[in-house]
Amino acid sequence: MLVPGALLSAVLLLASSAPAALAVDFRLPTGDRASLPKTEVICNNNIHQCWFVSFTKPSEPVCGSDHFTYNGECHLCFAVLYKKLNITKLHDGPCENP
Ligand SMILES: *[C@@H]1O[C@H](CO)[C@@H](O)[C@H](O)[C@H]1NC(C)=O
């Protein structure tokens, strides 16, 4: 049997957290000074924002230190945290591939 009170608070929680979940614009350390540990920390602190929107929302491409263009910070963080790649963000925008 459904408990209306619990259902209502679940709906309210969902509604109040939605705007934050839509704002995926965290900044990763960039360029020569970017380190893997710092990237991992910032990814860990922000990856929770990624799940609902990162694969559907068009995001600005970023260039990783592996010279691979990632479709945004969420994708680069996914590679760092879950594929365990030792990469950092080089710069905003796609990599200039030879
Ligand atoms: C990642 O790569 C950098 C630069 O090549 C290296 O200094 C560092 O030790 C590597 N870290 C890990 C965890 O493999």
Side-chain angles (χ1 to χ4, degrees):
M1 179 182 145
L2 283 176
V3 182
L7 191 64
L8 181 64
S9 45
V11 168
L12 288 177
L13 186 68
L14 204 64
S16 60
S17 62
L22 287 171
V24 182
D25 61 349
F26 57 95
R27 297 273 109 199
L28 288 172
T30 302
D32 291 340
R33 287 171 305 147
S35 67
L36 182 66
K38 263 190 190 170
T39 300
E40 283 176 330
V41 166
I42 296 181
C43 284
N44 266 319
N45 288 343
N46 291 282
I47 194 89
H48 68 277
Q49 301 176 50
C50 290
W51 299 113
F52 296 115
V53 286
S54 64
F55 294 101
T56 53
K57 178 179 172 277
S59 43
E60 295 296 314
V62 299
C63 182
S65 56
D66 54 354
H67 296 279
F68 184 85
T69 300
Y70 290 86
N71 189 19
E73 273 78 4
C74 287
H75 286 74
L76 195 145
C77 282
F78 192 85
V80 168
L81 295 179
Y82 300 106
K83 292 191 191 165
K84 300 289 177 192
L85 297 188
N86 181 0
I87 55 167
T88 56
K89 174 179 163 184
L90 273 191
H91 56 74
D92 285 313
C95 301
E96 301 89 23
N97 285 318

